[in-house]
Amino acid sequence: MNNNNTNPLLRPMIVIAFCIFIASAAFLLPALKLTGNASLLPVAMLVALMVLSVILVITDIKKARTNKAPTKPALQSPGRVFGALLSVFVFVTSVDLFGFYLATAIFVPVAAYLFGCRSLKVLVASDVIVVAGIYLIFGMAMAKDFPMGSIW
């Protein structure tokens, strides 16, 4: 996609901001139907996403009007972007198959390795910290149950 369009509304960041706004608005409708405290966090986060996307649109339009120089492409490495999207799909599928904790324990070091971390100590430490942190905060303190896998 060309960043130097005559129409500033077709700039990649603005298109992304519009998509975020529309998706947030779509999820906001069912979130508002939740009762009690269950709706507080989803509604707050969705409204925050909508506000931030509007701010992104405004700042990017101002930047497009003042900057006449050519800009770098928004997507310089499409393989990494699609790889990240694929990894989200693989993680969600593995949560369904193996359960949240096992999938997370596998996914965190694999993702860190794929994004460039090569230290075994850092991979193991980050894995333990993330999984233990999630368990302590959500499992113990908030008493939330995470999905159990169909295989494990």
Side-chain angles (χ1 to χ4, degrees):
M1 186 180 284
N2 186 4
N3 280 345
N4 298 324
N5 291 321
T6 56
N7 185 356
L9 295 179
L10 295 179
R11 291 170 54 94
M13 291 306 289
I14 293 178
V15 172
I16 290 169
F18 280 137
C19 292
I20 291 171
F21 186 88
I22 291 168
S24 298
F27 285 121
L28 185 61
L29 297 175
L32 289 171
K33 294 179 184 174
L34 295 172
T35 59
N37 290 337
S39 69
L40 290 178
L41 183 62
V43 169
M45 297 306 279
L46 291 168
V47 168
L49 273 174
M50 293 170 74
V51 169
L52 289 172
S53 64
V54 168
I55 292 170
L56 178 61
V57 167
I58 292 169
T59 57
D60 202 58
I61 288 175
K62 285 182 181 178
K63 184 178 177 183
R65 289 184 179 167
T66 59
N67 187 10
K68 301 299 180 196
T71 56
K72 294 181 181 177
L75 194 57
Q76 293 180 356
S77 179
R80 283 188 157 191
V81 173
F82 294 119
L85 293 174
L86 179 65
S87 69
V88 171
F89 175 76
V90 169
F91 177 70
V92 170
T93 305
S94 63
V95 166
D96 187 43
L97 294 174
F98 303 115
F100 178 79
Y101 290 113
L102 181 60
T104 303
I106 294 169
F107 184 76
V108 167
V110 169
Y113 183 82
L114 291 175
F115 282 109
C117 179
R118 298 294 186 252
S119 169
L120 184 60
K121 288 180 184 179
V122 173
L123 292 172
V124 171
S126 64
D127 193 26
V128 169
I129 290 169
V130 168
V131 174
I134 290 171
Y135 176 73
L136 290 174
I137 293 170
F138 294 102
M140 297 296 289
M142 298 177 130
K144 297 292 179 191
D145 293 327
F146 283 97
M148 300 302 292
S150 58
I151 293 176
W152 186 276

